[in-house]
Amino acid sequence: MIKDILAIDDSAAMREILAATLRAAGYRVTVASDGDEGLASALAQPFDLVLTDQYMPKRSGLDVIAALRLERSYEATPIFVLTTEDGDAFKDAARAAGATGWIAKPLDLDTLTDLIAALRA
């Protein structure tokens, strides 16, 4: 069951939108402003779901995903990358890094909450 979500994005506005939307849907949300901070947060406590932007300072979303997949506690955790990329090469790289999937930006917040609710079931 999804309860605790980590949302990683270098955009302060996107972090606020994600946090407000997901908290309103009943989730506990932790936000991080870049890949290094997100990875540190994920290693400090377990999350049931990780959402990460792709293009961030210090560490990309795919780098975060690959690092988390090396951790036993994140082997089966759903991890989605938030991105404007939609090419096959990016999708192949996301799969190779261990992404559960990707969510296109700009985000449809209803679709996002529906997706998370489906993961809960």
Side-chain angles (χ1 to χ4, degrees), residues 13-44:
M14 182 59 67
R15 288 192 307 273
E16 287 181 32
I17 290 167
L18 288 169
T21 300
L22 297 173
R23 286 178 182 138
Y27 301 103
R28 290 185 296 257
V29 181
T30 299
V31 295
S33 62
D34 63 50
D36 283 351
E37 183 182 337
L39 184 58
S41 293
L43 297 177

Side-chain angles (χ1 to χ4, degrees), residues 32-113:
S33 62
D34 63 50
D36 283 351
E37 183 182 337
L39 184 58
S41 293
L43 297 177
Q45 74 176 67
F47 290 93
D48 304 313
L49 171 69
V50 176
L51 303 171
T52 182
D53 185 24
Q54 168 56 10
Y55 297 108
M56 299 180 290
K58 301 181 184 176
R59 189 183 297 256
S60 74
L62 296 188
D63 289 341
V64 170
I65 293 168
L68 288 177
R69 290 299 186 212
L70 295 174
E71 300 294 321
R72 184 178 193 108
S73 59
Y74 284 96
E75 289 175 350
T77 301
I79 305 174
F80 289 88
V81 62
L82 311 175
T83 185
T84 57
E85 293 284 336
D86 64 355
D88 289 338
F90 175 78
K91 291 176 183 177
D92 290 343
R95 282 187 203 97
T100 304
W102 45 88
I103 301 169
K105 284 183 172 182
L107 295 178
D108 179 321
L109 297 173
D110 290 332
T111 299
L112 176 63
T113 54

